[in-house]
Amino acid sequence: MLYIGKRKGVELIETGPYSITRNPLYVFSALAALGAGAQSGSIVLAVIFAIGTVAVFYFVALREEAFLKDRFGAPFNAYCLRVPRFWPSFRLYRDEPTVFASTDRLYTTLKDGLIFFLAKPAFDFIEYLQLWGFMPILVRLI
């Protein structure tokens, strides 16, 4: 959000995290989902969370790309040829000396990310309910 802020849809951002992947927010959300799933203690659940997040964001990214292609045309097409959609290519990284940030969007994004910290207490609560017989154990994921 530091790089895109209120510029989203207004100008094509090609620096910072947007220089290594067209969807940095989705990449880091998938990593956070993997981490949230890992907090369950299950590798299987961690992988399911990450794959599920990538699958959802794939379709969102396609919709956004159609909008950006319509909005920016040839410059966006050139950007797509240069920068991968999802998996970062760190060798492409380039930055600008100054970034003007929209603090309201930054704070909103930080608040949205706090949901991932609820995974551990949620998994602990489910385990507590199962331990005391209030919730059945339907599946064991290793």
Side-chain angles (χ1 to χ4, degrees):
M1 289 313 293
L2 286 175
Y3 282 82
I4 202 161
K6 292 185 177 180
R7 303 184 319 175
K8 185 174 184 176
V10 176
E11 62 183 276
L12 185 59
I13 310 301
E14 301 181 58
T15 57
Y18 292 90
S19 67
I20 61 172
T21 176
R22 296 195 307 259
N23 297 287
L25 184 60
Y26 302 159
V27 171
F28 291 111
S29 293
L31 288 173
L34 176 74
Q39 290 179 49
S40 71
S42 168
I43 294 170
V44 173
L45 196 57
V47 171
I48 288 171
F49 276 31
I51 290 172
T53 303
V54 169
V56 168
F57 283 139
Y58 174 77
F59 294 105
V60 173
L62 289 178
R63 191 180 72 233
E64 287 180 352
E65 285 180 7
F67 167 79
L68 293 170
K69 185 178 284 193
D70 184 54
R71 177 91 174 165
F72 298 109
F76 181 73
N77 290 335
Y79 173 67
C80 289
L81 291 173
R82 190 176 63 255
V83 177
R85 176 180 285 136
F86 193 78
W87 303 112
S89 177
F90 294 100
R91 65 177 175 75
L92 297 174
Y93 187 79
R94 61 188 187 84
D95 210 346
E96 50 193 292
T98 306
V99 176
F100 296 97
S102 170
T103 55
D104 61 327
R105 299 243 178 143
L106 178 62
Y107 295 142
T108 299
T109 301
L110 288 172
K111 282 188 251 177
D112 291 346
L114 291 175
I115 191 75
F116 291 106
F117 289 111
L118 295 178
K120 180 65 173 150
F123 290 130
D124 287 346
F125 183 64
I126 290 169
E127 186 177 15
Y128 171 82
L129 293 175
Q130 291 172 337
L131 182 66
W132 291 99
F134 295 111
M135 178 183 277
I137 299 172
L138 302 175
V139 177
R140 289 197 189 274
L141 300 173
I142 298 172

